Short mmCIF file of all heavy atoms in Angstrom, two decimals:
data_model
loop_
_atom_site.label_atom_id
_atom_site.label_comp_id
_atom_site.label_asym_id
_atom_site.label_seq_id
_atom_site.Cartn_x
_atom_site.Cartn_y
_atom_site.Cartn_z
N GLY A 443 90.39 165.44 68.79
CA GLY A 443 89.24 165.09 69.62
C GLY A 443 87.91 165.39 68.99
O GLY A 443 87.79 165.72 67.82
N HIS A 444 86.90 165.21 69.84
CA HIS A 444 85.50 165.32 69.43
C HIS A 444 85.06 166.75 69.78
O HIS A 444 84.59 167.02 70.89
CB HIS A 444 84.66 164.29 70.18
CG HIS A 444 85.27 162.89 70.17
ND1 HIS A 444 85.41 162.16 69.02
CD2 HIS A 444 85.76 162.11 71.16
CE1 HIS A 444 85.95 160.97 69.30
NE2 HIS A 444 86.18 160.93 70.60
N LEU A 445 85.21 167.67 68.82
CA LEU A 445 85.02 169.09 69.12
C LEU A 445 83.61 169.39 69.60
O LEU A 445 83.41 170.18 70.53
CB LEU A 445 85.33 169.93 67.87
CG LEU A 445 85.26 171.44 68.09
CD1 LEU A 445 86.35 171.91 69.04
CD2 LEU A 445 85.36 172.19 66.76
N GLY A 446 82.64 168.73 69.00
CA GLY A 446 81.25 169.01 69.37
C GLY A 446 80.96 168.72 70.83
O GLY A 446 80.03 169.28 71.41
N ASP A 447 81.76 167.85 71.45
CA ASP A 447 81.55 167.50 72.86
C ASP A 447 82.55 168.22 73.77
O ASP A 447 82.65 167.89 74.96
CB ASP A 447 81.72 165.98 73.08
CG ASP A 447 80.98 165.16 72.05
OD1 ASP A 447 79.87 165.57 71.67
OD2 ASP A 447 81.52 164.13 71.60
N GLY A 448 83.35 169.13 73.24
CA GLY A 448 84.36 169.80 74.06
C GLY A 448 85.43 168.83 74.54
O GLY A 448 86.08 169.04 75.57
N ASN A 449 85.65 167.76 73.79
CA ASN A 449 86.50 166.64 74.25
C ASN A 449 87.79 166.59 73.43
O ASN A 449 87.75 166.38 72.23
CB ASN A 449 85.67 165.36 74.07
CG ASN A 449 86.40 164.06 74.42
OD1 ASN A 449 85.88 162.99 74.15
ND2 ASN A 449 87.57 164.12 75.01
N LEU A 450 88.92 166.80 74.11
CA LEU A 450 90.22 166.69 73.43
C LEU A 450 90.99 165.51 73.98
O LEU A 450 90.99 165.27 75.19
CB LEU A 450 91.04 167.97 73.62
CG LEU A 450 90.64 169.17 72.76
CD1 LEU A 450 91.47 170.39 73.15
CD2 LEU A 450 90.78 168.88 71.26
N HIS A 451 91.68 164.77 73.10
CA HIS A 451 92.60 163.72 73.53
C HIS A 451 94.01 164.31 73.49
O HIS A 451 94.49 164.69 72.41
CB HIS A 451 92.52 162.51 72.61
CG HIS A 451 91.16 161.86 72.60
ND1 HIS A 451 90.43 161.63 73.74
CD2 HIS A 451 90.39 161.41 71.60
CE1 HIS A 451 89.28 161.05 73.44
NE2 HIS A 451 89.23 160.91 72.14
N VAL A 452 94.64 164.39 74.65
CA VAL A 452 96.00 164.93 74.73
C VAL A 452 96.93 163.72 74.80
O VAL A 452 96.92 162.97 75.78
CB VAL A 452 96.17 165.82 75.99
CG1 VAL A 452 97.58 166.38 76.06
CG2 VAL A 452 95.13 166.92 76.00
N ASN A 453 97.70 163.52 73.77
CA ASN A 453 98.60 162.35 73.70
C ASN A 453 100.02 162.84 73.94
O ASN A 453 100.57 163.56 73.10
CB ASN A 453 98.52 161.72 72.31
CG ASN A 453 97.15 161.15 72.06
OD1 ASN A 453 96.92 159.96 72.23
ND2 ASN A 453 96.20 162.01 71.67
N VAL A 454 100.59 162.46 75.06
CA VAL A 454 101.93 162.94 75.40
C VAL A 454 102.95 161.89 75.00
O VAL A 454 102.92 160.75 75.50
CB VAL A 454 102.03 163.26 76.90
CG1 VAL A 454 103.43 163.78 77.23
CG2 VAL A 454 100.97 164.28 77.30
N LEU A 455 103.84 162.27 74.09
CA LEU A 455 104.91 161.36 73.66
C LEU A 455 106.22 161.82 74.27
O LEU A 455 106.50 163.03 74.32
CB LEU A 455 105.03 161.38 72.13
CG LEU A 455 103.97 160.63 71.35
CD1 LEU A 455 104.08 160.94 69.85
CD2 LEU A 455 104.08 159.12 71.58
N GLY A 456 107.02 160.90 74.72
CA GLY A 456 108.35 161.26 75.24
C GLY A 456 108.62 160.76 76.65
O GLY A 456 109.62 160.09 76.89
N PRO A 457 107.72 161.03 77.63
CA PRO A 457 108.03 160.61 79.01
C PRO A 457 108.09 159.08 79.14
O PRO A 457 107.39 158.37 78.41
CB PRO A 457 106.86 161.14 79.84
CG PRO A 457 106.19 162.15 78.99
CD PRO A 457 106.47 161.78 77.56
N ALA A 458 108.92 158.61 80.07
CA ALA A 458 108.93 157.18 80.38
C ALA A 458 107.54 156.79 80.89
O ALA A 458 106.76 157.64 81.34
CB ALA A 458 109.97 156.90 81.46
N ASP A 459 107.24 155.47 80.83
CA ASP A 459 105.91 155.00 81.22
C ASP A 459 105.51 155.50 82.62
O ASP A 459 104.35 155.80 82.88
CB ASP A 459 105.87 153.46 81.24
CG ASP A 459 106.01 152.87 79.85
OD1 ASP A 459 106.04 153.66 78.88
OD2 ASP A 459 106.11 151.63 79.74
N ASP A 460 106.48 155.54 83.54
CA ASP A 460 106.15 155.89 84.92
C ASP A 460 106.46 157.35 85.27
O ASP A 460 106.35 157.75 86.42
CB ASP A 460 106.87 154.95 85.90
CG ASP A 460 108.38 155.03 85.73
OD1 ASP A 460 108.84 155.70 84.78
OD2 ASP A 460 109.10 154.42 86.56
N ASP A 461 106.83 158.15 84.29
CA ASP A 461 107.08 159.58 84.55
C ASP A 461 105.76 160.33 84.33
O ASP A 461 105.32 160.51 83.19
CB ASP A 461 108.16 160.08 83.58
CG ASP A 461 108.40 161.59 83.73
OD1 ASP A 461 107.64 162.25 84.47
OD2 ASP A 461 109.34 162.10 83.09
N GLU A 462 105.14 160.76 85.43
CA GLU A 462 103.78 161.31 85.32
C GLU A 462 103.74 162.83 85.50
O GLU A 462 102.69 163.41 85.76
CB GLU A 462 102.88 160.61 86.34
CG GLU A 462 102.72 159.12 85.98
CD GLU A 462 101.76 158.37 86.86
OE1 GLU A 462 101.75 158.65 88.07
OE2 GLU A 462 101.03 157.51 86.34
N ARG A 463 104.90 163.48 85.35
CA ARG A 463 104.92 164.93 85.55
C ARG A 463 104.05 165.65 84.51
O ARG A 463 103.33 166.59 84.84
CB ARG A 463 106.36 165.46 85.49
CG ARG A 463 107.20 165.04 86.70
CD ARG A 463 108.64 165.44 86.52
NE ARG A 463 109.25 164.71 85.42
CZ ARG A 463 110.46 164.98 84.92
NH1 ARG A 463 111.19 165.96 85.43
NH2 ARG A 463 110.95 164.27 83.91
N ALA A 464 104.13 165.20 83.25
CA ALA A 464 103.31 165.87 82.22
C ALA A 464 101.83 165.58 82.44
O ALA A 464 100.98 166.47 82.27
CB ALA A 464 103.75 165.40 80.83
N ASP A 465 101.50 164.35 82.82
CA ASP A 465 100.09 164.00 83.12
C ASP A 465 99.56 164.95 84.18
O ASP A 465 98.44 165.50 84.07
CB ASP A 465 99.96 162.57 83.67
CG ASP A 465 100.61 161.52 82.78
OD1 ASP A 465 101.79 161.70 82.41
OD2 ASP A 465 99.95 160.51 82.46
N ASP A 466 100.37 165.14 85.22
CA ASP A 466 99.96 165.99 86.33
C ASP A 466 99.70 167.43 85.85
O ASP A 466 98.69 168.04 86.19
CB ASP A 466 101.06 165.97 87.41
CG ASP A 466 100.64 166.69 88.66
OD1 ASP A 466 99.69 166.22 89.31
OD2 ASP A 466 101.23 167.75 88.98
N ALA A 467 100.64 167.93 85.01
CA ALA A 467 100.50 169.32 84.53
C ALA A 467 99.23 169.47 83.70
O ALA A 467 98.46 170.44 83.88
CB ALA A 467 101.73 169.69 83.70
N VAL A 468 98.96 168.50 82.81
CA VAL A 468 97.80 168.61 81.92
C VAL A 468 96.50 168.53 82.74
O VAL A 468 95.59 169.34 82.57
CB VAL A 468 97.81 167.49 80.85
CG1 VAL A 468 96.52 167.49 80.04
CG2 VAL A 468 99.03 167.64 79.93
N LEU A 469 96.44 167.56 83.65
CA LEU A 469 95.18 167.35 84.37
C LEU A 469 94.89 168.50 85.33
O LEU A 469 93.72 168.89 85.51
CB LEU A 469 95.22 165.99 85.09
CG LEU A 469 95.36 164.78 84.13
CD1 LEU A 469 95.42 163.47 84.91
CD2 LEU A 469 94.25 164.73 83.09
N ARG A 470 95.95 169.08 85.90
CA ARG A 470 95.73 170.26 86.76
C ARG A 470 95.26 171.45 85.93
O ARG A 470 94.41 172.24 86.37
CB ARG A 470 97.00 170.60 87.55
CG ARG A 470 97.23 169.64 88.69
CD ARG A 470 98.41 169.98 89.58
NE ARG A 470 98.65 168.84 90.45
CZ ARG A 470 97.92 168.55 91.54
NH1 ARG A 470 96.97 169.37 91.93
NH2 ARG A 470 98.17 167.47 92.25
N LEU A 471 95.82 171.59 84.74
CA LEU A 471 95.38 172.68 83.85
C LEU A 471 93.89 172.51 83.51
O LEU A 471 93.11 173.46 83.57
CB LEU A 471 96.25 172.67 82.58
CG LEU A 471 95.91 173.71 81.51
CD1 LEU A 471 96.06 175.14 82.05
CD2 LEU A 471 96.82 173.52 80.28
N VAL A 472 93.52 171.28 83.18
CA VAL A 472 92.11 170.99 82.86
C VAL A 472 91.21 171.38 84.04
O VAL A 472 90.19 172.06 83.87
CB VAL A 472 91.92 169.48 82.55
CG1 VAL A 472 90.45 169.11 82.52
CG2 VAL A 472 92.60 169.12 81.24
N ALA A 473 91.61 170.95 85.23
CA ALA A 473 90.78 171.23 86.41
C ALA A 473 90.69 172.74 86.64
O ALA A 473 89.61 173.26 86.96
CB ALA A 473 91.36 170.52 87.63
N SER A 474 91.80 173.45 86.44
CA SER A 474 91.79 174.90 86.71
C SER A 474 90.88 175.63 85.72
O SER A 474 90.44 176.74 85.99
CB SER A 474 93.21 175.46 86.65
OG SER A 474 93.64 175.52 85.29
N LEU A 475 90.61 175.00 84.55
CA LEU A 475 89.75 175.65 83.55
C LEU A 475 88.30 175.13 83.63
O LEU A 475 87.50 175.39 82.74
CB LEU A 475 90.33 175.40 82.15
CG LEU A 475 91.70 176.04 81.88
CD1 LEU A 475 92.25 175.61 80.52
CD2 LEU A 475 91.60 177.57 81.93
N GLY A 476 88.00 174.37 84.66
CA GLY A 476 86.62 173.92 84.86
C GLY A 476 86.25 172.69 84.04
O GLY A 476 85.07 172.42 83.80
N GLY A 477 87.26 171.92 83.59
CA GLY A 477 86.98 170.74 82.77
C GLY A 477 86.91 169.47 83.60
O GLY A 477 86.85 169.51 84.84
N SER A 478 86.92 168.33 82.89
CA SER A 478 86.94 167.03 83.56
C SER A 478 88.15 166.24 83.09
O SER A 478 88.50 166.28 81.90
CB SER A 478 85.66 166.25 83.23
OG SER A 478 85.85 164.88 83.58
N ILE A 479 88.77 165.49 84.02
CA ILE A 479 90.00 164.75 83.67
C ILE A 479 89.71 163.51 82.83
O ILE A 479 90.64 162.89 82.33
CB ILE A 479 90.82 164.35 84.92
CG1 ILE A 479 90.04 163.37 85.80
CG2 ILE A 479 91.26 165.58 85.69
CD1 ILE A 479 90.92 162.62 86.78
N SER A 480 88.46 163.12 82.69
CA SER A 480 88.14 162.04 81.76
C SER A 480 86.83 162.34 81.05
O SER A 480 85.80 162.56 81.70
CB SER A 480 88.02 160.69 82.46
OG SER A 480 87.66 159.72 81.49
N ALA A 481 86.88 162.36 79.73
CA ALA A 481 85.66 162.60 78.97
C ALA A 481 84.96 161.30 78.66
O ALA A 481 83.75 161.18 78.83
CB ALA A 481 85.99 163.33 77.68
N GLU A 482 85.74 160.31 78.17
CA GLU A 482 85.07 159.08 77.70
C GLU A 482 85.90 157.83 77.93
O GLU A 482 85.38 156.73 77.78
CB GLU A 482 84.71 159.21 76.22
CG GLU A 482 85.91 159.52 75.33
CD GLU A 482 85.57 159.60 73.85
OE1 GLU A 482 84.39 159.66 73.50
OE2 GLU A 482 86.52 159.60 73.04
N HIS A 483 87.17 157.92 78.26
CA HIS A 483 87.97 156.70 78.42
C HIS A 483 87.86 156.12 79.82
O HIS A 483 88.24 154.97 80.05
CB HIS A 483 89.45 156.97 78.11
CG HIS A 483 89.69 157.30 76.67
ND1 HIS A 483 90.87 157.83 76.21
CD2 HIS A 483 88.89 157.16 75.58
CE1 HIS A 483 90.79 158.00 74.90
NE2 HIS A 483 89.60 157.63 74.49
N GLY A 484 87.38 156.92 80.77
CA GLY A 484 87.30 156.45 82.16
C GLY A 484 88.55 156.84 82.94
O GLY A 484 89.43 157.56 82.45
N ILE A 485 88.61 156.34 84.16
CA ILE A 485 89.71 156.68 85.08
C ILE A 485 90.76 155.57 85.04
O ILE A 485 91.97 155.85 85.01
CB ILE A 485 89.16 156.86 86.51
CG1 ILE A 485 88.21 158.08 86.57
CG2 ILE A 485 90.29 157.02 87.52
CD1 ILE A 485 88.86 159.42 86.31
N GLY A 486 90.30 154.32 85.03
CA GLY A 486 91.24 153.19 85.01
C GLY A 486 92.23 153.28 86.15
O GLY A 486 91.90 153.75 87.26
N VAL A 487 93.46 152.81 85.90
CA VAL A 487 94.51 153.03 86.89
C VAL A 487 95.30 154.28 86.51
O VAL A 487 95.92 154.91 87.36
CB VAL A 487 95.48 151.82 87.01
CG1 VAL A 487 94.77 150.62 87.62
CG2 VAL A 487 96.09 151.42 85.67
N ALA A 488 95.23 154.65 85.22
CA ALA A 488 96.07 155.76 84.73
C ALA A 488 95.75 157.07 85.42
O ALA A 488 96.63 157.87 85.70
CB ALA A 488 95.91 155.89 83.22
N LYS A 489 94.47 157.31 85.68
CA LYS A 489 94.09 158.64 86.19
C LYS A 489 93.63 158.61 87.64
O LYS A 489 93.20 159.64 88.18
CB LYS A 489 93.00 159.24 85.32
CG LYS A 489 93.52 159.65 83.95
CD LYS A 489 92.44 160.35 83.19
CE LYS A 489 92.95 160.72 81.81
NZ LYS A 489 91.81 161.02 80.93
N ALA A 490 93.69 157.43 88.26
CA ALA A 490 93.18 157.32 89.64
C ALA A 490 93.80 158.36 90.59
O ALA A 490 93.08 158.94 91.41
CB ALA A 490 93.38 155.90 90.15
#
Side-chain angles (χ1 to χ4, degrees):
H444 313 295
L445 184 66
D447 314 321
N449 177 189
L450 283 176
H451 298 316
V452 181
N453 295 263
V454 180
L455 284 170
D459 293 355
D460 59 353
D461 176 353
E462 294 184 322
R463 289 173 295 171
D465 307 51
D466 187 65
V468 173
L469 298 179
R470 285 185 191 282
L471 178 61
V472 167
S474 74
L475 295 174
S478 165
I479 64 162
S480 178
E482 57 178 13
H483 293 167
I485 295 295
V487 292
K489 289 185 182 163

